[in-house]
Amino acid sequence: MDTLTKCKIYQTGENMSLSRREFLKSSAAASAAAAVGMSVPAELEASASAAESGWRWDKAACRFCGTGCGIMMATKNGKIVAVKGDPAAPVNRGLNCIKGYFNAKIMYGADRLTKPLLRMNDKGEFDKKGQFGEISWQRAFDEMEKNIRKALKASGPEGVAVFASGQYTVMEGYAAQKMMKAGFRSNAIDPNARHCMASAVVGFYQTFGIDEPSGCYDDIELTDTVVSWGSNMAEMHPILWSRVTDRKLSDPERVKVINMSTYRHRTSDLADIEIIFSPNTDLAMWNYIAREIVYNNPDAIDWDFLKKNIVFAASPVNMGYGMRRAGEKSLSPVRPDGSAGKYSAKEMQTINHEMEHIVSAKEAPALEPYGYKEGDKMVNKPAGLKHWEISFEEYKKFLEPYTLDYVARIAKGDPDEPLEQFKEKLQTLADLYIEKGRKVVSFWTMGMNQHTRGTWVNTLSYNVHFMLNKQALPGSGAFSLTGQPSACGTAREVGTFCHRLPADMMVKNPKHRKIAENRWKIPEGTLNPVGNQHIMKIHRDIEDGVVKFAWVNVCNAYQDSASAKHWIKAARNMDNFIVTSDGYPGISAMVSDLVLPSAMIYEKWGAYGNAERRTQHWRQQVLPVGDAMSDTWQWVELSKRFTVKDVWGPYTLRNGVKLADVRKAAHEMGYTDDTTMYEILYANKEAKSYKIDMNAFPQKGYDNSECNGDSRNVVGSDGKVFKGYGFMIHEYLFEEYASFGRGHGHDLAPFTTYHKVRGLKWPVVDGKETQWRFNVKYDPYAAKAVAKSGNGSTHAFYGKLAKALTQGDLMGITDKNKKPLTDKAKIFARPYMDPPEMPDAEYDTWLCTGRVLEHWHSGTMTMRVPELFRAVPEALCYMNPKTAAEKGLKQGDLCWVESRRGKVKAHVETRGRNRPPRGLVFVPWFDEKVFINKVCLDATCPMSKQTDYKKCAVKIYKA
């Protein structure tokens, strides 16, 4: 790619006196020349200045993936007119991917939502079967208030739910969490990050005792070896892939790239080795590498590192697949034909595996150390996050079955590849990891996370790196790449998951609840200790009639969930009230009863946290369109409708847990029955201390619709023109959230600092970011821990979660006395197991789903950009030409993709960028017309509750 292309500026064409050709010849060319240090001719510089006359440039973060690219954004006359990569941004260094260049156009689609919409009858009354009509913000909040009160009365806090998002800004997610958990006392708030990163999260917790990667993107330039496990980095993280490419080309003989995938794609094009494996067998391959270390290369093990820093652990294997269980309301009654409740007999063929399954020939060798053999019945029981310490000898016993012969036989994914060739690749892969002095980075995304054993496979990655002492070192480490722009910052760090609180605290932990209650100035005992309503449970609870009110925030919950027809049917046909806040009318909006117009990213102040722990902030660049308002504003306005007496009375949860009546305690704190949640949670004395100062940085010269109101004079929730809160609510929300982590290994810089820099990687200590966590040389928390212990280690894994274990062997716990594991991490024994649904005689083909470069998730934004739509106007069914011939299909034909749950039509693509082996097809999920999530299975990792979109069984035939 030439420098001019790298520094390309996208312009909207609005308010331009120069033609596009002239613009590119002047402004962009001048930018390109300056970026590489070339002198710029005076005439060209003058033309560039004329082209940009009146533009205001400011930094921002890209709206799309979790990479965290910085962009520069130009505004003129209240509209964004240009976007370019930020040369000062350390993540992308001036380069954007194709989506990044269209950050402006996603905001100006023809069908932007500008007014609240309610389903109504001819009389203007709410009617669930009615048509959408425009209403005021006041009417919208009236309807929300009424239906929330109805839900609380019917089901208590468990009846009010939020489909949250890894695309929330930090402030939005924190505002939503406060009202849900401290106001409504409901933990039924869960982000769509549950679908993309939950397995990585639980893997971090179980391994390190704290969330998020230990390394950073600088590892790319420092490593010798990049292994991509189930991640099409070339399309999903293209900026990082450009850095990988640059590293590879800088030393092509030394630097090796390996692509591990279930099908060939663009990441394969750079790879030295491509390993196409059968779905789910990544578990076996990780254990094969570990076996090679332990059995055949024991001298490669850094025993000094292990003895100081690591213990070995095991967990139950008969834990099911995170599906519905027998006895749940929607699975009753069970009928003679095999159907049950709202589920067909064919669906139940798979769901029944949740309760028990027969050990297959494929998984039997791996399960033999646990006492199972082929044909045995495994009775599955919920196991939670249970695990215990084992000896190294038990771990070695666990590894014994994973010989090269066994793993190659079950893992080879291309039936046309010779077995010996596949075995050679596996051996080379292991050799590269083991080679003394070779630095290795293992990257992964959804291929390892969207997995019925997602937590297991995440922990297995660290096993290999730990044994070789190639973790948390410059150029070496296992690194989970985040899918969404703030899945780290808002979903994980803020703690918008149903089971979490800010800074790695948990709702079930009474000490953590007390810390949050004290910080939020709410009565002790307010917070709900039961946090089990993850995204799939919220959907299931709606279908079961428990959740009566659900609010979709900054996501597309009815397009992005597997077995989608069940959830859409429940939302439309049952007694509930569904709200969606969005910029555009996607599937979730169409499913809803009330649709609220949300301000989009650059129409509000915000912050994101990306995959390398980098926190970035931006300012509001333009006013929202129409009457759209930010999600923060929507939450804060809702809080005005509920008082102490409304929400802080007693409740009894489904499991019998009682939430105390805390109203008397609230009175003792100075609140009255009529004190609103707004006054307590958002407009308290501390909040009002954050002053508006339009003459000071960073506020000077920038709009602030929430704090000051704006020139649109939007009529707000009370029927009056909204004039703003009168204090800097963005700074307040950020600073209060940040206070949870400061001094606890999660330190964030001050709000104003982030507006001066291109992000900082936490923990930020004494103004300095941390490159490699847990490493004494780079991490002050690790240095402090080692100084305290005096063990002289190079590392300290100082996370606090699950750091005391009972003792046992592979079969279970033998000593219930817990042993502390201060500053230690864990290596886990976790076997290969089959997924709950595999191809058979009727459904003979694997289906894999995912994304493409040009579109973002459900396509709600990118399908509105003409250039991106024209580039990829529809989702295709990518298949091997031999598979197509077997099915009587050819390039361009329309085919059915059918599972036990549903079917969709898609055009056949046999020559595209994605090239599956025989027996597997790939269908991306961005296209609501090719609604592939009707086909997918809602099985999850039982530990992380992350949905496995990457594998289910389908049949393919001509439409």
Side-chain angles (χ1 to χ4, degrees):
M1 184 178 291
D2 60 69
T3 305
L4 180 58
T5 304
K6 287 185 178 181
C7 296
K8 172 186 173 184
I9 299 177
Y10 168 74
Q11 59 170 354
T12 66
E14 297 287 334
N15 305 309
M16 295 293 297
S17 58
L18 297 178
S19 69
R20 179 173 177 79
R21 180 184 295 272
E22 291 168 331
F23 175 83
L24 288 171
K25 288 169 61 180
S26 56
S27 180
S31 297
V36 295
M38 294 171 56
S39 60
V40 181
E43 183 179 349
L44 181 61
E45 192 167 10
S47 296
S49 297
E52 298 184 12
S53 176
W55 288 12
R56 180 188 70 186
W57 286 99
D58 197 26
K59 75 176 182 70
C62 179
R63 174 59 180 80
F64 298 108
C65 77
T67 300
C69 294
I71 60 173
M72 294 298 293
M73 183 162 284
T75 55
K76 183 177 182 180
N77 297 333
K79 192 165 184 177
I80 301 169
V81 294
V83 174
K84 63 182 178 182
D86 183 356
V91 172
N92 55 311
R93 305 167 182 178
L95 179 63
N96 284 152
C97 78
I98 187 62
K99 291 191 296 293
Y101 289 118
F102 288 103
N103 268 289
K105 267 197 174 178
I106 62 172
M107 299 175 63
Y108 300 123
D111 60 342
R112 266 293 297 270
L113 294 167
T114 60
K115 301 281 185 182
L117 304 172
L118 178 69
R119 289 188 182 274
M120 296 183 287
N121 60 24
D122 294 340
K123 298 178 182 179
E125 302 164 329
F126 168 64
D127 183 346
K128 198 166 179 71
K129 302 299 182 184
Q131 299 299 309
F132 283 116
E134 288 186 3
I135 59 170
S136 67
W137 274 112
Q138 184 177 30
R139 173 77 187 280
F141 281 102
D142 287 345
E143 296 291 343
M144 292 176 74
E145 177 188 347
K146 179 173 67 177
N147 282 281
I148 289 171
R149 290 183 185 276
K150 180 180 174 182
L152 288 170
K153 184 176 181 180
S155 302
E158 293 167 304
V160 177
V162 173
F163 294 105
S165 180
Q167 298 169 55
Y168 271 144
T169 67
V170 166
M171 296 77 152
E172 287 168 346
Y174 186 67
Q177 172 171 240
K178 284 191 80 175
M179 186 58 202
M180 281 296 286
K181 294 179 180 177
F184 295 133
R185 310 178 77 180
S186 173
N187 292 324
I189 174 172
D190 209 53
N192 57 1
R194 179 73 68 178
H195 291 315
C196 72
M197 297 310 299
S199 294
V201 171
V202 182
F204 281 121
Y205 280 160
Q206 293 215 316
T207 303
F208 299 98
I210 189 172
D211 193 10
E212 301 202 21
S214 51
C216 61
Y217 298 156
D218 292 355
D219 287 327
I220 295 171
E221 283 74 31
L222 298 172
T223 196
D224 305 312
T225 319
V226 172
V227 187
S228 176
W229 289 79
S231 176
N232 184 1
M233 287 181 69
E235 293 200 56
M236 303 308 108
H237 295 86
I239 299 304
L240 296 182
W241 194 242
S242 73
R243 290 175 63 170
V244 171
T245 302
D246 198 33
R247 175 63 183 137
K248 169 65 179 173
L249 297 179
S250 72
D251 191 353
E253 292 302 314
R254 172 66 179 171
V255 176
K256 301 299 179 185
V257 177
I258 300 92
N259 183 41
M260 317 278 292
S261 179
T262 57
Y263 61 93
R264 172 171 284 189
H265 45 63
R266 286 182 172 176
T267 300
S268 305
D269 297 342
L270 182 71
D272 296 278
I273 301 172
E274 176 190 64
I275 296 177
I276 303 299
F277 62 91
S278 179
N280 242 51
T281 59
D282 43 5
L283 292 153
M285 291 186 293
W286 275 117
N287 284 331
Y288 159 70
I289 300 169
R291 188 188 190 282
E292 280 294 293
I293 297 168
V294 170
Y295 280 81
N296 297 329
N297 295 273
D299 57 325
I301 299 174
D302 189 327
W303 279 108
D304 182 62
F305 175 82
L306 291 187
K307 288 174 181 177
K308 290 177 179 177
N309 298 290
I310 304 295
V311 299
F312 296 86
S315 57
V317 297
N318 59 329
M319 60 183 185
Y321 307 96
M323 296 182 285
R324 280 194 175 277
R325 293 194 66 82
E328 293 183 10
K329 187 173 180 180
S330 292
L331 289 188
S332 299
V334 178
R335 304 182 188 91
D337 67 355
S339 65
K342 297 176 181 178
Y343 289 77
S344 70
K346 286 196 171 183
E347 288 177 295
M348 291 305 299
Q349 289 174 1
T350 301
I351 293 174
N352 285 332
H353 292 153
E354 178 63 21
M355 280 58 79
E356 61 183 42
H357 86 280
I358 303 302
V359 174
S360 74
K362 188 174 181 179
E363 64 187 350
L367 292 174
E368 189 275 332
Y370 297 87
Y372 291 97
K373 61 182 183 301
E374 182 183 352
D376 283 353
K377 180 189 292 185
M378 178 181 284
V379 178
N380 295 320
K381 302 175 183 178
L385 303 179
K386 182 180 180 182
H387 60 283
W388 54 89
E389 187 175 352
I390 61 173
S391 67
F392 172 73
E393 289 306 315
E394 281 291 294
Y395 177 67
K396 185 175 182 180
K397 174 183 171 183
F398 153 80
L399 288 177
E400 198 282 329
Y402 297 96
T403 62
L404 181 59
D405 286 341
Y406 169 59
V407 173
R409 177 168 53 82
I410 67 168
K412 186 170 74 75
D414 182 354
D416 298 322
E417 181 176 16
L419 182 61
E420 289 305 312
Q421 179 177 299
F422 187 78
K423 290 167 71 172
E424 287 176 11
K425 291 179 181 178
L426 287 182
Q427 183 68 64
T428 302
L429 173 68
D431 291 345
L432 288 171
Y433 273 101
I434 294 167
E435 183 183 324
K436 210 78 170 174
R438 174 171 286 278
K439 298 176 182 178
V440 186
V441 177
S442 303
F443 286 119
W444 68 89
T445 356
M446 301 314 147
M448 273 174 51
N449 293 336
Q450 291 177 342
H451 199 307
T452 51
R453 292 295 182 265
T455 299
W456 284 11
V457 73
N458 268 265
T459 59
L460 293 183
S461 68
Y462 303 115
N463 293 0
V464 168
H465 283 267
F466 280 151
M467 284 193 287
L468 300 169
N469 192 5
K470 294 185 180 183
Q471 180 67 29
L473 290 169
S476 282
F479 196 117
S480 163
L481 293 170
T482 314
Q484 297 183 81
S486 203
C488 288
T490 310
R492 296 159 71 174
E493 295 160 20
V494 169
T496 52
F497 283 95
C498 67
H499 63 289
R500 289 180 71 162
L501 292 165
D504 285 326
M505 296 195 301
M506 302 292 168
V507 299
K508 71 177 182 180
N509 187 316
K511 292 181 180 178
H512 293 174
R513 294 198 304 275
K514 188 172 183 179
I515 290 169
E517 287 163 346
N518 288 338
R519 188 66 187 89
W520 290 341
K521 297 178 177 62
I522 61 177
E524 187 173 335
T526 301
L527 293 182
N528 182 344
V530 181
N532 61 12
Q533 286 177 279
H534 54 86
I535 272 191
M536 290 315 306
K537 185 163 177 58
I538 291 173
H539 278 305
R540 293 166 187 170
D541 279 349
I542 294 173
E543 187 175 54
D544 287 348
V546 175
V547 169
K548 301 290 188 182
F549 177 94
W551 190 0
V552 179
N553 281 193
V554 205
C555 66
N556 197 349
Y558 286 92
Q559 187 176 340
D560 72 18
S561 292
S563 298
K565 69 178 184 180
H566 275 278
W567 325 128
I568 290 174
K569 185 177 180 180
R572 292 304 310 131
N573 296 337
M574 296 185 68
D575 178 23
N576 52 46
F577 193 78
I578 312 296
V579 182
T580 289
S581 296
D582 207 339
Y584 291 104
I587 286 179
S588 294
M590 292 186 283
V591 166
S592 295
D593 302 302
L594 174 65
V595 180
L596 304 178
S598 285
M600 292 184 68
I601 179 170
Y602 309 115
E603 297 169 341
K604 57 195 176 188
W605 291 65
Y608 280 161
N610 76 4
E612 63 167 354
R613 295 173 278 109
R614 183 180 299 276
T615 308
Q616 300 186 74
H617 285 231
W618 66 89
R619 298 181 278 199
Q620 182 176 339
Q621 302 296 314
V622 292
L623 297 184
V625 301
D627 284 350
M629 294 295 286
S630 75
D631 292 79
T632 300
W633 180 87
Q634 293 174 37
W635 275 103
V636 174
E637 291 303 291
L638 182 67
S639 73
K640 295 176 178 179
R641 301 292 185 111
F642 294 90
T643 65
V644 166
K645 68 182 177 185
D646 294 329
V647 292
W648 282 358
Y651 294 102
T652 300
L653 305 180
R654 278 177 290 180
N655 64 357
V657 170
K658 295 184 182 297
L659 301 185
D661 186 336
V662 296
R663 290 174 292 190
K664 183 178 178 181
H667 299 160
E668 293 170 356
M669 295 177 71
Y671 306 134
T672 71
D673 276 351
D674 296 324
T675 305
T676 65
M677 292 298 110
Y678 170 70
E679 296 168 280
I680 296 171
L681 301 177
Y682 305 111
N684 51 53
K685 184 178 179 180
E686 181 183 352
K688 291 179 179 178
S689 71
Y690 290 90
K691 303 297 185 183
I692 295 291
D693 187 349
M694 298 306 296
N695 294 313
F697 179 86
Q699 300 174 42
K700 186 177 181 179
Y702 286 84
D703 289 307
N704 195 327
S705 294
E706 295 94 332
C707 299
N708 299 328
D710 60 49
S711 60
R712 295 174 302 152
N713 290 321
V714 173
V715 177
S717 66
D718 58 0
K720 301 175 183 178
V721 172
F722 180 70
K723 295 295 187 180
Y725 297 122
F727 59 93
M728 190 58 176
I729 194 169
H730 315 293
E731 186 172 8
Y732 161 63
L733 290 171
F734 180 80
E735 287 295 333
E736 184 178 272
Y737 145 66
S739 70
F740 283 97
R742 289 175 179 148
H744 304 287
H746 200 299
D747 308 65
L748 296 167
F751 177 87
T752 302
T753 298
Y754 286 110
H755 287 282
K756 298 176 181 177
V757 300
R758 264 58 176 186
L760 293 169
K761 296 187 286 291
W762 61 265
V764 181
V765 181
D766 297 329
K768 297 179 181 179
E769 64 181 2
T770 299
Q771 299 288 82
W772 290 275
R773 278 201 308 168
F774 313 127
N775 187 315
V776 169
K777 187 176 180 180
Y778 303 97
D779 183 346
Y781 278 96
K784 183 178 178 181
V786 169
K788 183 178 179 180
S789 69
N791 70 355
S793 178
T794 56
H795 292 74
F797 300 101
Y798 50 77
K800 303 299 184 186
L801 298 173
K803 284 303 183 75
L805 291 184
T806 55
Q807 312 298 299
D809 54 27
L810 294 175
M811 303 299 288
I813 296 169
T814 57
D815 181 352
K816 293 184 179 180
N817 293 313
K818 288 191 174 183
K819 174 183 170 184
L821 313 171
T822 305
D823 296 333
K824 291 193 174 184
K826 302 164 194 168
I827 285 177
F828 280 92
R830 279 167 168 165
Y832 165 76
M833 290 184 72
D834 295 336
E837 184 174 272
M838 303 174 72
D840 57 19
E842 182 176 5
Y843 299 94
D844 60 355
T845 302
W846 284 113
L847 167 68
C848 179
T849 66
R851 291 180 285 162
V852 294
L853 169 66
E854 293 81 359
H855 289 296
W856 173 245
H857 282 192
S858 61
T860 314
M861 294 178 288
T862 52
M863 288 288 272
R864 265 89 181 168
V865 177
E867 293 87 342
L868 297 177
F869 178 81
R870 286 195 297 267
V872 183
E874 64 177 315
L876 302 171
C877 180
Y878 294 89
M879 69 175 66
N880 190 285
K882 294 178 181 177
T883 300
E886 291 169 3
K887 307 294 183 185
L889 297 165
K890 61 181 184 300
Q891 171 75 18
D893 279 353
L894 199 60
C895 72
W896 284 108
V897 181
E898 180 178 344
S899 73
R900 291 172 171 85
R901 292 153 296 280
K903 62 181 182 178
V904 298
K905 284 190 286 190
H907 284 101
V908 173
E909 177 57 78
T910 61
R911 303 180 303 208
R913 64 180 81 172
N914 300 300
R915 292 148 278 173
R918 279 194 302 118
L920 183 143
V921 297
F922 170 76
V923 182
W925 69 280
F926 67 85
D927 187 353
E928 63 185 43
K929 298 184 300 298
V930 183
F931 194 179
I932 196 62
N933 281 337
K934 291 193 299 183
V935 177
C936 293
L937 174 65
D938 64 316
T940 70
C941 167
M943 303 177 81
S944 71
K945 315 303 182 188
Q946 178 162 351
T947 318
D948 188 345
Y949 294 92
K950 290 300 178 184
K951 60 195 75 73
C952 72
V954 298
K955 55 184 173 184
I956 310 290
Y957 54 96
K958 194 164 188 175

